[in-house]
Amino acid sequence: MTSIDIISDLHQDYWDMRYNIVDRQYHAPFTLNPTPETDILIVTGDVSNNITLTLEYLKYWKRKYKFVLFVDGVKEHTQKLYSVTEIANEMKRPMYKGIYHIPSRPFIINRIAIIGVSGWWNYYANNTNDSKELKIQIIRMASIEYNYLKNLLIRLENNNNIERVVVMTHAVPTKSCSQPENISRQLNGLLQEIIDSGYYKKLTHWIFGNTHVRHDKIEKGIRLICNPRGLPFDFGRVNYSQLNIKLE
């Protein structure tokens, strides 16, 4: 049995008054206390508005876990849109040993493959004021990452050494898990095609972020999980903790 802890959308710099971002209702930075007998932490993006700060948190959490698995969220790209290669090259440094940037380095343990991408979105409802240039860029990245994920899933489906596949994305993978008012910047509708196809029999779990609404449900035989903290001024989750699941 493989035990994993799951966190997402912590927005640490919004909860910590050392960072001057917004007026806050609370000063309550998240403190992580691992679930007993759990070696793996999954982080599905939006740790902070700064990739450097996010990486510092990952290194700190690595002291508490044997492995930390990470996909970057939208907020990690606040300063610029980093490529997968740029983040991967940074995380090849020895200080990140045991920390996996899953879009560039899939993780395999106990015949379980944990794979993923950030995922972005494809402007499902097209109701944003984003510039045409930005929309083109985001839609292109969403398509590239979908194709990478689909092709990797096909390979793993035919790999006799893999019994189970877990997908991590920051993007919301189904319309049913998206907030209608935010769907244009949450849902990558291409990912729903993977779930709806029914082809990937080894795919048992999909862990995601980018919505601050919690989810834990079965859709098309796949367990969809989102365990976000969110912002102080939306759900105000002062008392937040990781979600632990067992992959049997």
Side-chain angles (χ1 to χ4, degrees):
M1 183 180 297
T2 302
S3 176
I4 62 174
D5 282 344
I6 300 167
I7 57 177
S8 183
D9 295 77
L10 296 180
H11 300 283
Q12 287 283 71
D13 36 4
Y14 281 83
W15 289 89
D16 192 328
M17 294 182 70
R18 292 174 297 175
Y19 305 102
N20 186 25
I21 295 183
V22 293
D23 293 334
R24 295 168 181 78
Q25 294 174 265
Y26 312 106
H27 174 71
F30 173 59
T31 301
L32 182 56
N33 297 306
T35 303
E37 300 182 12
T38 301
D39 291 334
I40 300 172
L41 174 67
I42 281 182
V43 185
T44 53
D46 280 9
V47 175
S48 79
N49 277 20
N50 185 297
I51 186 68
T52 301
L53 179 60
T54 292
L55 294 178
E56 288 300 313
Y57 276 112
L58 296 181
K59 287 189 291 183
Y60 176 69
W61 294 329
K62 175 58 181 64
R63 300 177 194 172
K64 303 183 178 188
Y65 292 86
K66 189 173 181 180
F67 304 105
V68 174
L69 315 183
F70 167 68
V71 293
D72 42 299
V74 177
K75 295 301 183 183
E76 274 75 41
H77 297 263
T78 298
Q79 279 71 43
K80 61 169 282 190
L81 288 175
Y82 296 96
S83 69
V84 172
T85 301
E86 286 177 299
I87 298 175
N89 286 342
E90 170 63 23
M91 295 184 69
K92 287 178 182 176
R93 298 168 64 189
M95 68 180 72
Y96 298 108
K97 184 178 180 181
I99 304 174
Y100 285 69
H101 180 236
I102 293 300
S104 58
R105 191 182 175 197
F107 179 79
I108 297 175
I109 188 170
N110 300 333
R111 299 172 69 88
I112 301 168
I114 302 178
I115 65 174
V117 293
S118 179
W120 298 95
W121 54 80
N122 57 355
Y123 294 97
Y124 183 85
N126 197 28
N127 59 352
T128 74
N129 294 321
D130 292 351
S131 69
K132 181 179 179 180
E133 291 77 14
L134 180 61
K135 286 181 178 180
I136 291 171
Q137 188 173 11
I138 296 293
I139 290 171
R140 179 176 179 272
M141 290 191 298
S143 178
I144 289 171
E145 294 190 2
Y146 157 74
N147 282 303
Y148 162 79
L149 186 63
K150 182 180 70 171
N151 290 332
L152 183 53
L153 280 165
I154 290 170
R155 294 202 303 273
L156 292 170
E157 195 69 22
N158 296 299
N159 185 334
N160 293 330
N161 294 316
I162 299 298
E163 295 179 349
R164 181 191 301 266
V165 177
V166 176
V167 169
M168 297 171 54
T169 60
H170 182 65
V172 178
T174 67
K175 185 178 179 182
S176 67
C177 291
S178 302
Q179 296 166 268
E181 67 274 20
N182 296 320
I183 193 169
S184 286
R185 290 200 183 101
Q186 288 183 349
L187 173 68
N188 182 343
L190 295 171
L191 301 178
Q192 176 124 26
E193 295 179 12
I194 291 174
I195 292 173
D196 288 346
S197 72
Y199 175 78
Y200 307 99
K201 305 304 182 184
K202 295 180 181 179
L203 175 55
T204 59
H205 293 72
W206 196 304
I207 303 167
F208 62 97
N210 203 23
T211 174
H212 295 171
V213 178
R214 287 173 172 163
H215 295 278
D216 190 348
K217 64 178 183 176
I218 305 295
E219 190 167 322
K220 304 289 186 178
I222 300 167
R223 186 176 175 184
L224 306 178
I225 300 172
C226 183
N227 182 41
R229 186 182 195 188
L231 296 162
F233 44 80
D234 53 24
F235 291 92
R237 294 186 179 111
V238 177
N239 299 314
Y240 169 83
S241 65
Q242 72 275 12
L243 174 68
N244 178 263
I245 67 169
K246 306 295 192 294
L247 303 176
E248 300 181 2

